Amino acid sequence: MTMLEVEDLEVYYDTERGAVKAVDGVSFRIEEGENVGVVGESGCGKSTLAKAIIGILPKNGYINGGSIYFDGEDLTDLPEKRRRELRWDEISMIAQSAMNALDPVYTIREQILEAIEAHHPKMGRTESQERIDEMFDLVGLDRERQTDYPHQFSGGMRQRAMIAMALVLEPSLILADEPTTALDVIMQDQILKRINGIQQEVNSSMMVITHDVAVVAETCDRVVVMYAGEIAEEGPSEAIFQRPYHPYTIGLKSAFPNIQRSNQDLVSIGGHPPDLHDPPTGCRFAERCPLATRQCVEEDPPEVETGDLRSYCHHVDDVDSQLRPVADSAE
Ligand code: ATP
Ligand code: MG
């Protein structure tokens, strides 16, 4: 069953210089129980996509077009009351900046308790408290710190508190935006395993935004590669990591540290992504692409399917002969 279906989504920000087209025609699905990774360079629209789904865009952000169906219900056009019902209980988000997601005037315990009571008014105090204790244990926070205020926590502790809050009601869809960046490696691993464990228990789906390839390789069934507000390529994790077809993914792949060999040098793709106020016509990656031709600059890239991969590129057929030998020998 499809849990989330995003169709031709456009999310823009109003600025003094005009609209920033942060998400510009994005379509993808997440099936029930599936983990989908979203990767791409800084500024390509990953957080914007997550914020649009859960409905927490900043004031100058708006959905310009398209739809977001969650379990059959369009989230782009939802009354505030219904949105609050879904939040935490059905869809929860582990945000990139934990400080902004927690309310500074309430203790951590009060906030989690409030979320539980709002959605499960019949659950007794004892059971609610048990759940909070369980979550604190799970994310490795001392139970005695429940009565602290967010500012009394370190960045890593706040992130853990938010993970506790995001999981406590066992939502159907978890949006995780760089869920573990403020944590050390051992904690990252532990928390991700626990998130996956909970997920399997309740068959929830997850969208994970991360720069960390190891996280994607370990936890995601599928990967969406974004470039400058659009999807460049999408498919099963294995195919994306082992045999991608979009020149951008191939560039990223050699930019990512090798999953097996940990101390390989980072090689980044030369150049910068385009300005999203006024994105170029044709393929947005053309300026940085080793295979780019005039057609790439003039015409939007077609959607090309290779096995389970979906790639938006004019030159998918040239990748094997022209790009792969180079990329492979660079490994
Ligand atoms: P990162 O990996 O750094 O978190 P991201 O992929 O999450 O990046 P977004 O935060 O979604 O990127 O930003 C997408 C684009 O929208 C960027 O060009 C960014 O500058 C712009 N943007 C984000 N928030 C706003 C805002 N409130 N007002 C105007 N522009 C914004
Ligand atoms: Mg972000």
Side-chain angles (χ1 to χ4, degrees):
M1 202 188 83
T2 302
M3 198 80 252
L4 186 80
E5 186 166 8
V6 173
E7 200 54 54
D8 218 7
L9 186 68
E10 296 175 353
V11 190
Y12 295 0
Y13 293 107
D14 267 333
T15 73
E16 281 174 10
R17 291 177 50 218
V20 178
K21 297 167 181 152
V23 171
D24 205 8
V26 161
S27 306
F28 71 102
R29 289 161 170 239
I30 302 181
E31 303 299 325
E32 192 176 338
E34 193 180 38
N35 274 357
V36 173
V38 178
V39 302
E41 280 162 294
S42 186
C44 70
K46 305 180 297 293
S47 296
T48 303
L49 177 62
K51 286 176 190 165
I53 293 170
I54 201 167
I56 53 163
L57 286 168
K59 279 208 175 66
N60 65 329
Y62 58 97
I63 292 174
N64 189 62
S67 56
I68 305 170
Y69 278 92
F70 169 75
D71 209 3
E73 199 170 1
D74 190 357
L75 300 181
T76 60
D77 163 39
L78 216 54
E80 197 44 41
K81 180 170 173 283
R82 181 68 187 136
R83 194 177 288 290
R84 276 199 301 271
E85 280 169 15
L86 293 177
R87 182 97 203 260
W88 303 116
D89 198 30
E90 288 292 332
I91 310 178
S92 73
M93 178 153 168
I94 303 169
Q96 201 168 10
S97 165
M99 196 56 196
N100 301 340
L102 296 167
D103 194 327
V105 303
Y106 296 102
T107 67
I108 305 288
R109 183 172 170 278
E110 283 166 345
Q111 296 186 45
I112 303 182
L113 207 54
E114 203 221 88
I116 298 177
E117 284 172 351
H119 295 284
H120 301 276
K122 293 208 178 92
M123 192 186 289
R125 264 293 154 105
T126 320
E127 195 187 337
S128 305
Q129 187 55 51
E130 271 169 20
R131 281 212 188 193
I132 300 176
D133 288 344
E134 201 183 306
M135 283 299 138
F136 260 60
D137 295 349
L138 183 134
V139 298
L141 285 172
D142 193 343
R143 288 184 184 187
E144 282 165 24
R145 303 293 299 265
Q146 284 174 19
T147 47
D148 281 10
Y149 289 88
H151 71 89
Q152 291 170 285
F153 273 19
S154 71
M157 288 167 75
R158 278 198 292 270
Q159 192 141 22
R160 291 182 213 193
M162 193 168 44
I163 293 169
M165 177 113 165
L167 297 180
V168 74
L169 296 172
E170 302 179 338
S172 319
L173 176 66
I174 302 163
L175 307 173
D177 193 354
E178 303 281 357
T180 57
T181 34
L183 309 172
D184 65 63
V185 178
I186 296 167
M187 199 61 212
Q188 278 186 18
D189 203 52
Q190 240 173 318
I191 287 192
L192 278 171
K193 288 209 174 91
R194 300 308 287 266
I195 294 180
N196 288 155
I198 292 191
Q199 243 193 303
Q200 270 152 26
E201 254 172 58
V202 297
N203 206 26
S204 51
S205 316
M206 183 153 82
M207 176 174 128
V208 195
I209 296 170
T210 179
H211 286 110
D212 189 335
V213 219
V215 167
V216 178
E218 232 172 85
T219 60
C220 298
D221 307 300
R222 273 189 312 121
V223 181
V224 171
V225 180
M226 284 185 71
Y227 185 78
E230 298 179 329
I231 292 183
E233 186 160 46
E234 185 238 313
S237 306
E238 244 183 55
I240 290 281
F241 285 120
Q242 280 163 21
R243 210 169 171 74
Y245 273 91
H246 197 290
Y248 178 60
T249 317
I250 294 174
L252 270 187
K253 204 188 147 207
S254 39
F256 279 148
N258 188 297
I259 303 165
Q260 280 87 36
R261 279 172 289 158
S262 54
N263 50 7
Q264 181 180 283
D265 279 353
L266 268 168
V267 189
S268 63
I269 309 168
H272 298 281
D275 183 355
L276 295 179
H277 279 102
D278 185 20
T281 56
C283 172
R284 295 187 179 179
F285 185 57
E287 203 194 338
R288 301 167 77 186
C289 182
L291 299 183
T293 55
R294 196 158 151 186
Q295 186 188 26
C296 302
V297 181
E298 289 172 355
E299 295 168 28
D300 283 349
E303 179 182 313
V304 184
E305 283 182 25
T306 316
D308 293 331
L309 278 181
R310 175 164 68 111
S311 322
Y312 293 86
C313 174
H314 288 290
H315 291 296
V316 163
D317 290 339
D318 305 327
V319 163
D320 279 327
S321 61
Q322 295 190 38
L323 215 51
R324 205 135 0 236
V326 182
D328 286 350
S329 68
E331 267 177 19

